[in-house]
Amino acid sequence: MEQDVESPATFKPHKLPKQAREDPPNKIAERDRSRRLQRYVQKDGKCNVHHGNVRETYRYLTDLFTTLVDLKWMLNLFIFVLVYTVTWLTFGFAWWFIAYVRGDLDHLSDIDKKWIPCVENLNSFVSAFLFSIETETTIGYGYRVITDQCPEGILLLLIQSVLGSIVNAFMVGCMFVKISQPKKRAETLVFSTNAVISMRDGRLCLMFRVGDLRNSHIVEASIRAKLIKSKQTKEGEFIPLNQTDMNVGYNTGEDRLFLVSPLIICHEINQGSPFWDVSRSNLHTEELEIVVILEGMVEATGMTCQARSSYVSSEIKWGYRFMPVLTLEDGFYEVDYNSFHDIHETNTPSCSAKELFGARSRLPFTWSLGSKLSQQGLQMSEQENKRSPEYQGKILQPERNGDIANIENESKV
């Protein structure tokens, strides 16, 4: 008879993620808590995203110019010097090799000077290197000159002249673009430290302030705002760091700024706002981040500049308003940047905009209904009083009294 033999079951252990393998279990919870405060964009505008496991690195070489421009200054200067040095050494070796093959180096001690070299006064590799530098940089001291009896030297001269021009255009272009990059221009575009939520024109609004420290202005400046918050769809799909547009005046044109003095950017919290259901009590429990982007052209160079900043939930102050910074002086307006980040507390409802809208929509309806009912009741009561004989007697009594008074006056006369 066959017997069932229990074979030991083999379970394949699950492969732990890299973070769980590297970190002890007691540190995972601490890191999870710190991740809640992790920024997507730093306050200075730098994006806190690192690209890892990029296998198709050849794509960086397809756009070599942009790759060189994006490098750091020290590495860029190193490549700049290295490219020129390599080209000078390469063509210097080529000039020395031509002189060596033709035998010019063997006839250096000829007294009769009947031997015509390819390059006059080229007697070593150092002199060939110097001649290469003079040729590529078009210095031309006149001491070393190529002769017309060397066709291979003429061909090499043409090649070095063309390639030298290409190298000069490429490297000088990279340096010029890197120097003229408007990244440093964004350092003088400032954002307020905090964003505030308060009432403006009877509506709950989220506001932040922007300013330009330079006298040369940003042309065609525009502002955008995005909410960075993870979400889960109805189908159960988790979308990390989902980006939602926040309307800062796109429909009315208020997003296009004339940034001469500091401006307060306003986002109205309405039904289309992601803060529609957010109240004061649950604001700081939300894991969200507002990224603001200011774009425009630099007036001096005409290049596009972009400045970025962000606000996490702890940097959004509910029930506050910005202090004024613009004052009128004798013949001009003065901006006090010492008060640029200052805010003061103001009366603001603690409920969400949705609850505030619901309360307002109910109150006018009850008021109008009650007033209408009371108005109808007054009209009915007035009609009943007019029909009663007492009301008619009161109307006739003044007339009679008036008639009696008139008769008495006439009799006295």
Side-chain angles (χ1 to χ4, degrees):
M1 296 179 63
E2 296 180 357
Q3 296 180 357
D4 296 334
V5 179
E6 295 183 359
S7 60
T10 58
F11 296 96
K12 187 176 181 180
H14 295 284
K15 186 178 180 180
L16 296 176
K18 181 179 179 181
Q19 179 182 351
R21 295 196 307 267
E22 293 179 354
D23 296 341
N26 55 355
K27 292 185 179 180
I28 296 179
E30 296 180 1
R31 178 167 291 190
D32 291 339
R33 288 192 296 269
S34 64
R35 277 186 174 180
R36 297 179 182 178
L37 303 177
Q38 189 69 40
R39 289 182 178 272
Y40 189 67
V41 176
Q42 300 291 343
K43 293 294 287 185
D44 57 357
K46 295 181 180 179
C47 297
N48 194 18
V49 177
H50 299 274
H51 301 281
N53 299 327
V54 180
R55 298 181 180 180
E56 299 178 353
T57 55
Y58 66 90
R59 296 182 180 271
Y60 293 103
L61 299 178
T62 57
D63 190 8
L64 186 60
F65 187 84
T66 306
T67 302
L68 291 176
V69 172
D70 291 339
L71 293 177
K72 295 182 179 180
W73 267 109
M74 295 300 297
L75 189 57
N76 204 332
L77 291 175
F78 175 75
I79 294 176
F80 184 84
V81 175
L82 181 64
V83 168
Y84 276 107
T85 304
V86 169
T87 54
W88 293 338
L89 288 173
T90 302
F91 284 102
F93 177 78
W95 287 114
W96 176 84
F97 183 75
I98 290 176
Y100 177 79
V101 171
R102 293 182 77 255
D104 295 342
L105 302 179
D106 298 333
H107 296 81
L108 297 176
S109 60
D110 291 349
I111 303 176
D112 52 358
K113 299 295 182 181
K114 293 181 180 180
W115 180 263
I116 300 176
C118 182
V119 179
E120 294 183 356
N121 300 317
L122 195 150
N123 50 19
S124 62
F125 178 77
V126 177
S127 60
F129 176 70
L130 294 176
F131 180 72
S132 175
I133 296 175
E134 296 173 12
T135 303
E136 188 168 338
T137 57
T138 65
I139 295 176
Y141 290 115
Y143 183 70
R144 299 176 183 88
V145 182
I146 187 172
T147 61
D148 56 356
Q149 301 297 324
C150 183
E152 61 273 14
I154 296 174
L155 180 62
L156 182 61
L157 178 64
L158 295 175
I159 294 174
Q160 186 175 6
S161 299
V162 173
L163 291 180
S165 300
I166 295 174
V167 170
N168 289 333
F170 191 82
M171 299 307 300
V172 174
C174 287
M175 296 298 295
F176 176 77
V177 171
K178 193 169 183 63
I179 291 173
S180 60
Q181 274 185 327
K183 290 183 178 180
K184 296 300 180 183
R185 179 62 177 89
E187 298 293 334
T188 54
L189 298 174
V190 292
F191 297 87
S192 59
T193 306
N194 298 307
V196 297
I197 295 179
S198 61
M199 300 296 294
R200 172 177 279 193
D201 295 333
R203 298 178 178 87
L204 201 61
C205 298
L206 185 145
M207 293 168 285
F208 58 92
R209 179 182 276 168
V210 296
D212 189 4
L213 301 179
R214 287 187 178 272
N215 293 327
S216 59
H217 309 302
I218 297 293
V219 182
E220 296 183 1
S222 61
I223 190 74
R224 291 183 294 146
K226 286 184 174 293
L227 177 67
I228 309 297
K229 183 181 179 181
S230 301
K231 63 174 291 186
Q232 188 172 4
T233 61
K234 297 179 181 179
E235 295 77 13
E237 180 186 2
F238 180 74
I239 304 176
L241 301 178
N242 182 55
Q243 299 184 9
T244 305
D245 285 331
M246 297 175 58
N247 190 3
V248 289
Y250 178 78
N251 299 328
T252 59
E254 295 180 358
D255 61 329
R256 294 182 289 272
L257 310 178
F258 182 53
L259 198 59
V260 177
S261 61
L263 299 177
I264 297 177
I265 310 301
C266 178
H267 165 69
E268 181 182 347
I269 303 178
N270 50 24
Q271 295 181 358
S273 173
F275 290 89
W276 177 245
D277 297 328
V278 178
S279 63
R280 184 172 187 174
S281 59
N282 59 5
L283 174 62
H284 297 293
T285 60
E286 295 284 340
E287 298 180 8
L288 56 88
E289 182 178 356
I290 300 174
V291 177
V292 292
I293 304 170
L294 176 62
E295 293 180 336
M297 290 191 303
V298 182
E299 187 179 22
T301 61
M303 302 184 69
T304 304
C305 173
Q306 184 181 94
R308 298 181 294 266
S309 186
S310 67
Y311 302 98
V312 295
S313 58
S314 60
E315 296 172 346
I316 303 175
K317 304 299 181 182
W318 191 289
Y320 285 83
R321 189 177 297 166
F322 286 104
M323 295 288 293
V325 295
L326 194 64
T327 57
L328 178 60
E329 301 295 334
D330 188 9
F332 62 92
Y333 293 95
E334 184 178 0
V335 179
D336 183 15
Y337 278 98
N338 291 328
S339 304
F340 182 83
H341 303 282
D342 295 344
I343 56 178
H344 65 93
E345 195 170 1
T346 182
N347 293 327
T348 305
S350 301
C351 61
S352 64
K354 182 179 180 180
E355 297 172 350
L356 183 62
F357 178 78
R360 286 181 175 179
S361 62
R362 289 192 299 270
L363 287 176
F365 177 74
T366 56
W367 289 347
S368 61
L369 182 61
S371 61
K372 188 173 182 179
L373 291 174
S374 61
Q375 185 177 3
Q376 291 178 355
L378 289 174
Q379 291 177 357
M380 293 175 63
S381 62
E382 288 179 357
Q383 291 177 0
E384 292 177 355
N385 292 330
K386 288 180 180 179
R387 294 175 183 175
S388 62
E390 296 178 357
Y391 181 78
Q392 295 178 357
K394 290 180 181 179
I395 296 175
L396 294 174
Q397 185 176 0
E399 295 179 355
R400 293 175 181 177
N401 294 332
D403 294 339
I404 295 172
N406 293 332
I407 294 172
E408 292 178 354
N409 293 332
E410 290 177 359
S411 63
K412 289 180 181 180
V413 174

